[in-house]
Amino acid sequence: MTAEDSARRSPPVGAIITLILAGFPYAGMLACLFDLHSGGNDAMGRGLDEGFAVVFGIALWLLLGGLLLIGGIRGAMPEWSAIAAAPLWALSAMSAAIALDYIEHDSSYIIVPALLPPAIALYALWARLTRLHRLLQPLPTSAVAWIVVALIAAVPLPRYFIEQHERHVLAAEEAEEAQRQAAAEAEKQRLNLERFEKLTADSPLWDYAAFFGKDNELDGQAIAAARALTHRQADAEEALRRGMAFPLVNFERLDLNLTPAFCSAAGDLLRQEAAAHPAPSPDTEFETKLLPNLEADDMSAIELLSENCDIDAAVAQIRGTIETYKPSSRDGTLALLAWRRGNGFYQHQRHDIERALQEYNEAVRLGPGNEQFHKYRGDVYYDLKRYDDAIADYDEAVRINPGYSEAYYSRGNAYDAKGDDEKALASFDEAIRIAPEFVAAHNNRGLVYIREGKLDLALADFDAAAQRAPRFRLALDNRARVRFFQGDYAGAAEDFAAALKLKPDEPYTAMLLYLSQLHAGQDARAPLKGNAAALDRGTWPYPIVAAWLGDSDAQTVQADAARDPNPDRVGQSCEADFYFGDAAFANGDAATARDLLERAVARCPSDYLEVTLAKYELPRLPQ
């Protein structure tokens, strides 16, 4: 007896174990398929059934492949059958997967995954049990087994191939339709360009307006050409009178001016539109599309016009019209109208803060759940120095929206104004936690750290602000001051120079740059002379600059300030004490420097920068 014959006659332990193991995923797969067909689950449940059926099926077919290998290696099957086993096994797996897609809607296809595994498993077991080959001859048994497998596997294939053909036909039709649409779009663009190219410098603005809008590929060209029209402003005003709203929508892009004529025409347009759309009945729901020229879902035009024009009559008509609609549908729009109106008054050239507060009160009344309404009203309270009211509004804003970093920042400013450093820092901390790129919050937290004497923390905040916004002048200026406080005069000079480039007419930055360069041993006079050209020579503190340049002297400047009874000159006199005193320090005259710096500390108001500067400079004076 050969070793091969011995293996074939040994107990089929491996085949039986594999068969038992295959029974588990087979049972699991059938359970999932019957559950899928029952339709009792929701979409998620059906998705889980299908997913688990796939997992069980993969495991099952791998075990079936193992059974076939065992049957072929440890048992016996005809050579042609062994060759056919691999593709037919793969075909059966593919067929079962195809059938899975159909079972949910047609239960008949369940026979494919239900019958294929037993057929394959029985044939594999027959191949392993060679003693059965006398009863069931290899040739006919193998032929019948694989014919059965092939027939079962073929069940879903006709439908599958028909659907694939239909998909290819549909894809071809869609591609053809896409080509037709592309050709139509190309023709539309050609005609659009042809019409645009016919426009001239004499064409009215509204002819160009036909090409405005993000959906028009000629929008940018049309805006650029319209901005070049010499009659652009007059045409915009006439367009408003004719009932066209595009000058409002494209106001900034067209670089228009809010002339009295523009304001009047815009107000009339909005008033007439509102007057034409009263509610048919009190139960009618308000819809923003009823007032398209107003853009009632945004109303930025109201803010723009309220900032620069008298549109009280138009706003009264708009409010009156909207109030005729059902309250539950109108209040949000009325709140938005009041908020936009408040923004306009708040930013008004006259800064009409009282009217802004009235509008914000109305916005909060109608929309108490809107965090922006509370935040903006808080800003008005802050400007009115009603800090507790401002903080209450900021508190409400962050309660509604805990991620509202700007409200935390504004609350920090309010606590700062009250002198509550601890709560100011906590608010700035939260603003920065939410928005690490919030450079203004870094800057203002740094200012609080300066007041607390925590210069290293202040410097870190100003560093963060300057790194994120290299053109943020205040951060550069404040970082320069901290470096000055620390005696890093070269670093301070570098930052003061950078800040001065961003605002060349800022005299205090120019003077502190001069002092920093003096202390650092750099050439200070030549840069000061160049920087002085951008300064206003007729206002304070230019006399100090003039004295440093030799056009006057310190004694004259200080004497003039001391003789003037104007209370403002008290601050000027103490400023002169600091700047002349610190220049004396830098030039090596410690006695004069000490006298003037001590006098600055004694005479300057406590919130003056010069007091802080002097306090840091005095300990550095030689004894």
Side-chain angles (χ1 to χ4, degrees):
M1 179 186 302
T2 65
E4 184 178 354
D5 291 336
S6 176
R8 289 173 179 172
R9 292 181 182 182
S10 63
V13 177
I16 293 172
I17 291 174
T18 305
L19 185 63
I20 293 171
L21 290 175
F24 292 107
Y26 179 65
M29 180 186 70
L30 289 182
C32 290
L33 293 179
F34 282 115
D35 195 37
L36 180 67
H37 174 67
S38 69
N41 290 328
D42 56 14
M44 180 178 290
R46 291 192 297 274
L48 287 172
D49 284 335
E50 189 169 346
F52 278 114
V54 170
V55 172
F56 286 135
I58 291 172
L60 173 60
W61 252 263
L62 289 174
L63 289 168
L64 290 174
L67 268 175
L68 287 171
L69 284 173
I70 292 171
I73 296 171
R74 304 286 291 177
M77 64 176 67
E79 184 177 350
W80 66 267
S81 178
I83 294 171
L88 286 171
W89 170 80
L91 174 64
S92 68
M94 182 183 73
S95 179
I98 293 171
L100 178 62
D101 287 337
Y102 301 150
I103 289 171
E104 184 177 355
H105 304 292
D106 188 344
S107 62
S108 64
Y109 286 97
I110 203 168
I111 64 171
V112 177
L115 297 181
L116 281 172
I120 296 172
L122 288 172
Y123 178 70
L125 197 59
W126 169 87
R128 176 64 184 86
L129 300 174
T130 55
R131 292 180 181 181
L132 293 176
H133 292 189
R134 294 177 183 176
L135 178 64
L136 300 173
Q137 294 296 310
L139 181 61
T141 301
S142 298
V144 170
W146 289 127
I147 288 171
V148 170
V149 169
L151 288 173
I152 297 171
V155 170
L157 296 183
R159 175 175 173 177
Y160 174 76
F161 288 122
I162 290 171
E163 288 182 352
Q164 288 300 307
H165 174 71
E166 290 174 349
R167 287 193 184 99
H168 285 306
V169 171
L170 181 60
E173 291 175 350
E174 289 176 347
E176 187 177 347
E177 178 60 23
Q179 288 178 347
R180 282 197 297 269
Q181 290 180 358
E185 182 63 24
E187 177 63 12
K188 178 183 174 182
Q189 292 178 3
R190 187 189 68 78
L191 294 174
N192 199 36
L193 180 60
E194 186 177 287
R195 287 190 302 115
F196 179 71
E197 289 176 342
K198 290 180 180 179
L199 297 178
T200 69
D202 295 325
S203 300
L205 181 62
W206 45 84
D207 283 355
Y208 286 88
F211 303 93
F212 295 166
K214 62 182 181 180
D215 295 329
N216 196 308
E217 72 278 2
L218 297 176
D219 173 69
Q221 292 175 255
I223 288 290
R227 286 171 66 103
L229 296 177
T230 57
H231 48 86
R232 178 181 75 255
Q233 182 70 33
D235 280 2
E237 294 162 3
E238 179 60 25
L240 291 170
R241 286 190 284 268
R242 294 187 181 194
M244 304 178 206
F246 74 84
L248 285 175
V249 178
N250 298 282
F251 180 83
E252 292 185 357
R253 296 206 304 156
L254 290 172
D255 193 25
L256 298 172
N257 296 313
L258 286 170
T259 61
F262 188 100
C263 291
S264 175
D268 288 344
L269 172 69
L270 298 178
R271 180 179 53 78
Q272 291 165 10
E273 180 185 58
H277 294 88
S281 72
D283 292 331
T284 303
E285 297 274 343
F286 178 76
E287 298 179 65
T288 57
K289 66 182 181 181
L290 294 171
L291 302 176
N293 291 337
L294 180 62
E295 294 188 302
D297 58 345
D298 177 68
M299 292 200 199
S300 56
I302 291 293
E303 183 172 326
L304 170 72
L305 295 172
S306 295
E307 182 179 349
N308 297 277
C309 309
D310 180 1
I311 56 166
D312 289 356
V315 171
Q317 180 63 66
I318 293 167
R319 280 189 168 132
T321 293
I322 297 175
E323 285 171 353
T324 63
Y325 289 84
K326 189 175 180 179
S328 60
S329 68
R330 76 189 186 201
D331 285 353
T333 302
L334 288 171
L336 178 62
L337 173 63
W339 179 66
R340 286 294 192 184
R341 188 90 161 129
N343 293 347
F345 287 132
Y346 190 49
Q347 299 164 20
H348 195 279
Q349 55 187 347
R350 295 190 303 273
H351 198 53
D352 196 341
I353 199 165
E354 292 299 333
R355 293 195 70 181
L357 182 58
Q358 292 173 11
E359 295 291 350
Y360 287 144
N361 284 338
E362 181 68 1
V364 169
R365 184 184 72 81
L366 293 168
N370 186 297
E371 67 271 25
Q372 282 188 301
F373 299 167
H374 287 281
K375 192 269 182 188
Y376 278 65
R377 187 174 68 174
D379 292 343
V380 171
Y381 284 140
Y382 178 87
D383 283 358
L384 292 171
K385 301 188 187 309
R386 293 169 57 177
Y387 301 124
D388 288 334
D389 290 331
I391 290 169
D393 261 334
Y394 299 141
D395 283 344
E396 183 64 12
V398 298
R399 185 195 67 78
I400 297 168
N401 180 4
Y404 197 0
S405 60
E406 291 185 2
Y408 284 109
Y409 165 73
S410 295
R411 189 175 70 180
N413 291 335
Y415 278 124
D416 184 17
K418 289 187 66 177
D420 191 334
D421 289 355
E422 182 179 354
K423 290 183 177 179
L425 287 173
S427 292
F428 290 138
D429 287 346
E430 191 63 16
I432 292 168
R433 184 192 67 79
I434 296 168
E437 74 286 353
F438 200 159
V439 294
H442 280 287
N443 182 76
N444 288 17
R445 186 173 68 176
L447 294 174
V448 177
Y449 283 140
I450 287 177
R451 190 165 59 239
E452 292 195 333
K454 300 174 180 178
L455 297 186
D456 289 339
L457 292 176
L459 188 62
D461 262 331
F462 298 136
D463 277 341
Q467 288 169 5
R468 289 174 169 83
R471 296 184 61 80
F472 186 18
R473 183 183 62 84
L474 291 179
L476 293 170
D477 210 34
N478 288 327
R479 185 170 68 180
R481 293 175 184 182
V482 171
R483 287 174 168 170
F484 195 101
F485 297 156
Q486 294 176 326
D488 178 10
Y489 299 115
E494 182 180 346
D495 276 339
F496 280 132
L500 193 62
K501 284 183 179 179
L502 297 172
K503 195 173 189 300
D505 62 347
E506 174 51 58
Y508 290 97
T509 302
M511 292 192 302
L512 287 170
L513 171 60
Y514 172 76
L515 291 177
S516 300
Q517 290 172 328
L518 276 183
H519 280 292
Q522 301 171 5
D523 178 17
R525 183 179 175 82
L528 180 64
K529 188 173 182 179
N531 295 330
L535 305 181
D536 184 350
R537 298 181 178 228
T539 61
W540 183 265
Y542 189 81
I544 297 175
V545 176
W548 283 340
L549 292 175
D551 298 330
S552 179
D553 58 73
Q555 291 74 19
T556 301
V557 174
Q558 290 170 306
D560 287 346
R563 282 196 299 266
D564 195 326
N566 186 340
D568 290 341
R569 295 301 291 272
V570 174
Q572 294 175 6
S573 181
C574 82
E575 285 181 352
D577 287 340
F578 168 75
Y579 288 105
F580 289 130
D582 202 58
F585 175 20
N587 287 317
D589 187 351
T592 300
R594 186 179 305 279
D595 179 56
L596 291 175
L597 292 176
E598 288 178 346
R599 198 162 70 184
V601 171
R603 297 172 58 189
C604 278
S606 60
D607 59 346
Y608 269 42
L609 169 66
E610 288 73 19
V611 173
T612 307
L613 289 165
K615 286 180 177 179
Y616 278 107
E617 291 289 74
L618 279 167
R620 287 195 278 265
L621 285 170
Q623 298 298 322

